Amino acid sequence: MGALLRDFRQAARRLARTPGFAALAIGTLALGIGGNAALFSIVDRIAFRRLPFPEPGRLVRLRDTVQAPGGQVYKPLVIAWHWTAISRGTHGFDAFLADLPERLTFVGGDPKFSFEGGRISPGAFDLLGVRPRLGRLFTQEEERQGARSTAALISSHFWKTALGQRADVLGAPLRLADGRATIVGVLPEGFRFPYTSDVWRPLSIEASDPTDLFVVGRLAPGVTIPQATAELTAIAAREQATGPVGLRGHGFDVTPLREDLLQGEDRVPLVLMGSVGFLLLLACVNVAALLLSRSVARQREMGIRAALGASAGRRLRASLAESLLIAAAGGALGLALSGAAGRSLEVLLPHTLAEDLPQPPGLAAGIALFALAVSLLTGAVCGLLPAWRGARVDPASLLAGGRSVTSSRSTRRLLSAFVVAEVALATLLLAGGALMLSDSWTREHRPLGLDPDAVLSIEVPIENAADTPERRRALVERLLENVSRVPGVSSVAASTANPFSDRRWGLPLAPDRSRDPAADLLTVNLRIASPGLFRVFGTRLLAGRDIAEADRPDGLPVAVVSRHLARRLWGRGSALGQRVVRRLPDGRLVRMTVVGVADDVRDSGDLRDTIYLPYAQLAAHDAAKSVYLMVRGDAAARGWAREAVRAVGRTDPGIGAAEVVFLGDLYAASNAQSRVGTSLLAGFAAFGLLLAVLGVFGAVSFVTGHRRNEIGVRIALGASPGQIRSLVARQGLALALLGCAIGFPLSLAAASILSSAIPEFEGRPVLCGVVTACLLAAAAFSSDVPARRAARTDPVAALRPD
């Protein structure tokens, strides 16, 4: 142990004598190790850390399935009829929970506001293993009473933000627009599952209720997902045979809960983790090349050690200690960098893990152990080969002033291999960064079909203040009138969906020409809207007219369809005057006449088939229970936005604003994960380019230095500076060409992987080729610098004996 500590002390003194080398090597590794540690803390929470429920591997999400005529399968929430069927008991599940999302309005404070709540089925919190922070859960009697019970559970977030974390919260009344409730418990810190809920109340539901439920099940021990799916499919078939016609075509989908919660939002972090892994490998190769060059400079020292009796193992240990010390320092610095970057990287977390089930950013000990393991492995990878090569010196030839020709060739070959690897890895990173940048730019600048600037979205749940279709229509008309009077507001309309939010509604419909519309239904994006929505959005009407005030409940059922849906249903023919059929919950069909075709409006950048129906004619639909007021105002001054929210509160004592956000800000937030990921990858790529250029420069400089005598002879024999410059530059260019030849196919493979992992991602092989050419040009430039220096070599000084 004493000898080992002595080796490390001597290595520290040697590094202190060469601060430039030490800073370059430690800094290079710190970026690689720090990036890995920071992203590992995110990936750990996404892929490895257990969900905060007992036996989370047995938890699955249940959805209904509906297959469209074209074969596309839609997966909506579970209908009430199916919930009552499975809640009677199954063999493949131990228990189920159902949550009926509801928008609630808190009227116990100023201002009033709306928030997410849920009606929860009996035993749900026992299934999730949730115990209250304060108070108790629902009693069996309260669960049996269902909606008649006044008991309520609140989240810790609601307790702090809305109730001021008051100590006497238990038993206190909770003033909601739909009536008073009594708070019986506060749930644990961070629990807002599902849908970022803040208040839970008991659920009561009948099979015939026209509502959909969020359903989670716990698999029985030993039951697989295919077995559970088969049982539920049999139940669905039985209900189709005995239940109402509306069940036709419905089945079940069973998905692991973790997979469902991620919703594909784990792709960007996993791509980044792979990229930063290549960055660390590139850093290792770069530091290994630095250590190899350093081992050559220390050959005479190693010769003296060997002459004094140091064994090859002793010399190997001395050299390896230096690389391990560099790796340890790089790991410590990298861990500090990862800690500083941790909070900023949380935007990469999927929404559910960040909002509904937040967990601590990561056990410091776990991340530290990860960084330590990476550091030790890095030190061994970086230092072992150069140290082994330095320990195999011939002391007699070195002390005599000679040089082993074989050793010199092997050193140059090894260094060349390092440089080729650097260029290949840098090509891969650069191509990945360029592809992600291109994709991000395309997504953020693609036509959205609307102008989101200066459009304010105000979500207003109206179910509690208006419980009939007639009252909803009247309330929405008063809302639109009051908000339109606000100074600075130019136009306002109501819609049941915000194009950039997660809350969407689907509508099963079929063209009227279908022989069996009830069987040929396909599900499209539904927006129930008031007149003027396209004017607020700035969306073009391509044919026909907008929804009009004359489209009343007693009038002809009408619809406006998106361009994409019109082409899907009627090809290049005119959609005006065509009819589509929608199915009511009781199975009856309603035929609607298409009166307009609007330009496509992308939902968070995604193209969807969309139908717009008049609010006055669809006020009885579940989607009409909550509306988004879309308000366009003065873009230069946004003071009107506050007045618009106040106008909403003045309209009715039972309503309040739930979400108030400008569409432009919401769209920017929806792209935040992609933007941060792309920026990180671009940074990795730029660092990789720098390391590759420095690697080529260092390799050419190293080889040129060891060929100084040869270059002096060539110049003395009449070689021109241009010939010497060309001779030296070709060496670097050859290494860069070989590295690019390896890296370019790897970049094409990476593009293919990204295309399969990210929807609508374009691989763009041409961009990979352009990036490879740019890297080759940069490598050629870095080779030219030592080549110019070699061309200025003084042959007299070069040939002078040492």
Side-chain angles (χ1 to χ4, degrees):
M1 181 61 70
L4 185 61
L5 291 176
R6 187 166 57 253
D7 287 336
F8 279 110
R9 284 196 299 268
Q10 291 175 353
R13 285 196 294 268
R14 286 195 300 272
L15 291 175
R17 289 195 296 268
T18 54
F21 167 82
L24 180 59
I26 292 172
T28 299
L29 287 181
L31 286 174
I33 294 172
N36 272 270
L39 283 170
F40 176 76
S41 66
I42 298 297
V43 173
D44 170 58
R45 295 165 70 180
I46 293 174
F48 302 117
R49 194 177 305 185
R50 288 165 52 94
L51 294 176
F53 306 129
E55 299 184 273
R58 290 170 54 196
L59 293 179
V60 294
R61 170 76 185 277
L62 271 63
R63 291 179 181 269
D64 269 19
T65 60
V66 182
Q67 186 169 1
Q72 185 175 4
V73 177
Y74 299 93
K75 298 179 181 179
L77 299 180
V78 175
I79 58 176
W81 193 284
H82 275 172
W83 162 250
T84 56
I86 64 175
S87 60
R88 289 193 289 266
T90 64
H91 298 291
F93 293 86
D94 281 346
F96 295 99
L97 76 82
D99 178 272
L100 175 62
E102 57 179 359
R103 280 291 191 176
L104 303 173
T105 301
F106 180 62
V107 297
D110 187 25
K112 299 173 292 182
F113 65 92
S114 295
F115 59 93
E116 194 71 59
R119 294 280 183 176
I120 200 81
S121 63
F125 295 112
D126 290 332
L127 184 149
L128 297 176
V130 175
R131 294 293 175 264
R133 175 179 182 175
L134 296 175
R136 61 173 176 83
L137 298 176
F138 299 130
T139 64
Q140 291 184 351
E141 177 61 22
E142 290 166 343
E143 290 180 332
R144 187 186 62 78
Q145 291 176 352
R148 293 183 290 107
S149 171
T150 60
L153 296 166
I154 63 173
S155 69
S156 291
H157 174 268
F158 188 86
W159 179 41
K160 294 176 182 178
T161 58
L163 303 179
Q165 205 166 351
R166 48 187 286 194
D168 60 344
V169 67
L170 297 180
L174 180 63
R175 295 181 59 195
L176 301 174
D178 65 349
R180 287 190 175 225
T182 302
I183 300 172
V184 299
V186 179
L187 295 188
E189 183 73 36
F191 182 86
R192 302 177 74 187
F193 180 79
Y195 300 124
T196 320
S197 299
D198 280 315
V199 171
W200 296 263
R201 298 184 290 178
L203 170 71
S204 57
I205 194 167
E206 300 294 333
S208 58
D209 288 347
T211 190
D212 299 329
L213 303 164
F214 175 94
V215 177
V216 172
R218 181 179 294 281
L219 294 173
V223 175
T224 64
I225 288 181
Q227 290 171 336
T229 304
E231 182 183 13
L232 294 180
T233 300
I235 292 176
R238 183 190 67 207
E239 297 301 319
Q240 286 186 43
T242 60
V245 67
L247 297 180
R248 184 185 300 180
H250 279 259
F252 276 102
D253 175 77
V254 182
T255 304
L257 181 60
R258 176 186 289 276
E259 179 182 327
D260 182 82
L261 294 179
L262 295 181
Q263 293 287 323
E265 294 183 66
D266 58 336
R267 295 188 179 104
V268 171
L270 293 178
V271 167
L272 284 175
M273 192 66 192
S275 301
V276 81
F278 283 114
L279 179 68
L280 178 60
L281 182 57
L282 177 56
C284 290
V285 172
N286 186 269
V287 172
L290 290 174
L291 290 172
L292 178 62
S293 301
R294 186 173 173 83
S295 71
V296 174
R298 294 179 59 199
Q299 280 184 339
R300 189 173 295 276
E301 174 196 338
M302 288 298 177
I304 294 174
R305 286 174 177 265
L308 293 177
S311 65
R314 176 72 178 81
R315 300 197 304 274
L316 176 66
R317 194 177 65 203
S319 296
L320 196 56
E322 186 172 297
S323 64
L324 289 174
L325 197 61
I326 290 173
L333 180 58
L335 187 60
L337 292 175
S338 70
R343 287 292 179 186
S344 61
L345 292 180
E346 288 199 355
V347 69
L348 298 174
L349 283 172
H351 171 80
T352 304
L353 297 185
E355 299 290 339
D356 296 7
L357 298 169
Q359 301 179 57
L363 296 174
I367 302 302
L369 287 174
F370 174 81
L372 175 62
V374 172
S375 300
L376 293 177
L377 181 62
T378 299
V381 170
C382 290
L384 189 58
L385 193 56
W388 173 79
R389 190 244 167 258
R392 294 177 64 247
V393 298
D394 179 5
S397 61
L398 288 176
L399 293 177
R403 180 187 301 163
S404 171
V405 177
T406 303
S407 176
S408 176
R409 285 179 178 173
S410 66
T411 300
R412 289 199 295 268
R413 288 171 181 168
L414 184 56
L415 183 61
S416 297
F418 284 151
V419 173
V420 169
E422 285 186 76
V423 173
L425 290 170
T427 303
L428 178 60
L429 280 175
L430 276 173
L435 289 169
M436 291 291 287
L437 278 171
S438 174
D439 181 72
S440 178
W441 191 93
T442 300
R443 288 175 185 272
E444 292 199 30
H445 293 84
R446 70 180 61 182
L448 296 174
L450 77 162
D451 178 12
D453 294 336
V455 176
L456 181 71
S457 169
I458 308 174
E459 185 182 2
V460 187
I462 62 174
E463 178 183 13
N464 298 325
D467 55 358
T468 66
E470 293 76 17
R471 291 177 178 175
R472 290 178 196 166
R473 282 192 290 269
L475 179 55
V476 169
E477 288 173 359
R478 295 203 310 273
L479 280 169
L480 294 174
E481 181 180 359
N482 289 345
V483 174
S484 66
R485 293 174 178 173
V486 173
V489 171
S490 59
S491 57
V492 60
S495 173
T496 55
N498 181 328
F500 302 139
S501 75
D502 294 331
R503 297 174 66 89
R504 299 188 181 96
W505 292 88
L507 181 73
L509 60 80
D512 192 31
R513 67 176 183 273
S514 172
R515 294 182 179 178
D516 186 2
D520 293 342
L521 293 169
L522 57 94
T523 300
V524 301
N525 197 28
L526 169 66
R527 289 197 180 105
I528 305 173
S530 69
L533 180 65
F534 300 124
R535 182 172 65 254
V536 175
F537 279 172
T539 300
R540 294 183 303 155
L541 268 173
L542 305 178
R545 65 170 177 86
D546 192 356
I547 293 169
E549 297 289 349
D551 298 323
R552 307 300 295 178
D554 54 353
L556 176 72
V558 299
V560 176
V561 298
S562 66
R563 174 170 56 179
H564 196 269
L565 178 58
R567 288 182 177 176
R568 180 176 178 182
L569 294 180
W570 299 288
R572 297 189 177 276
S574 175
L576 296 181
Q578 301 284 355
R579 294 201 302 178
V580 290
V581 179
R582 68 182 178 93
R583 185 178 62 193
L584 298 179
D586 60 6
R588 291 184 295 118
L589 300 178
V590 175
R591 287 170 170 79
M592 303 168 293
T593 302
V594 176
V595 296
V597 178
D599 202 1
D600 294 319
V601 173
R602 290 180 177 268
D603 286 16
S604 300
D606 296 333
L607 184 63
R608 299 174 186 274
D609 296 319
T610 304
I611 189 168
Y612 301 85
L613 302 180
Y615 189 91
Q617 295 183 350
L618 271 291
H621 196 281
D622 276 355
K625 296 177 181 178
S626 182
V627 298
Y628 291 87
L629 297 181
M630 298 297 174
V631 189
R632 181 173 289 278
D634 184 2
R638 292 188 172 185
W640 55 267
R642 291 188 297 273
E643 293 303 319
V645 174
R646 292 192 182 101
V648 169
R650 291 194 299 266
T651 302
D652 190 281
I655 61 174
E659 179 187 69
V660 180
V661 62
F662 280 93
L663 289 189
D665 297 338
L666 191 59
Y667 181 62
S670 70
N671 290 318
Q673 187 193 59
S674 175
R675 191 180 304 113
V676 170
T678 299
S679 300
L680 285 174
L681 192 53
F684 298 160
F687 184 58
L689 174 62
L690 176 63
L691 291 183
V693 169
L694 290 178
V696 173
F697 173 81
V700 175
S701 299
F702 176 86
V703 173
T704 302
H706 282 264
R707 296 180 64 187
R708 189 165 178 265
N709 289 345
E710 175 195 340
I711 292 173
V713 170
R714 288 178 179 270
I715 293 176
L717 293 177
S720 67
Q723 290 174 324
I724 297 299
R725 179 181 170 187
S726 176
L727 173 69
V728 175
R730 280 201 305 268
Q731 296 172 344
L733 190 58
L735 296 178
L737 277 170
L738 183 56
C740 288
I742 297 173
F744 180 65
L746 292 177
S747 67
L748 294 179
S752 177
I753 293 172
L754 290 173
S755 297
S756 61
I758 302 176
E760 296 187 53
F761 186 92
E762 295 184 32
R764 295 186 173 90
V766 174
L767 185 57
C768 295
V770 171
V771 166
T772 304
C774 291
L775 178 58
L776 192 60
F781 176 78
S782 67
S783 301
D784 192 55
V785 175
R788 287 175 179 271
R789 188 186 307 133
R792 295 194 297 268
T793 299
D794 181 1
V796 176
L799 296 174
R800 184 182 297 122
D802 294 336

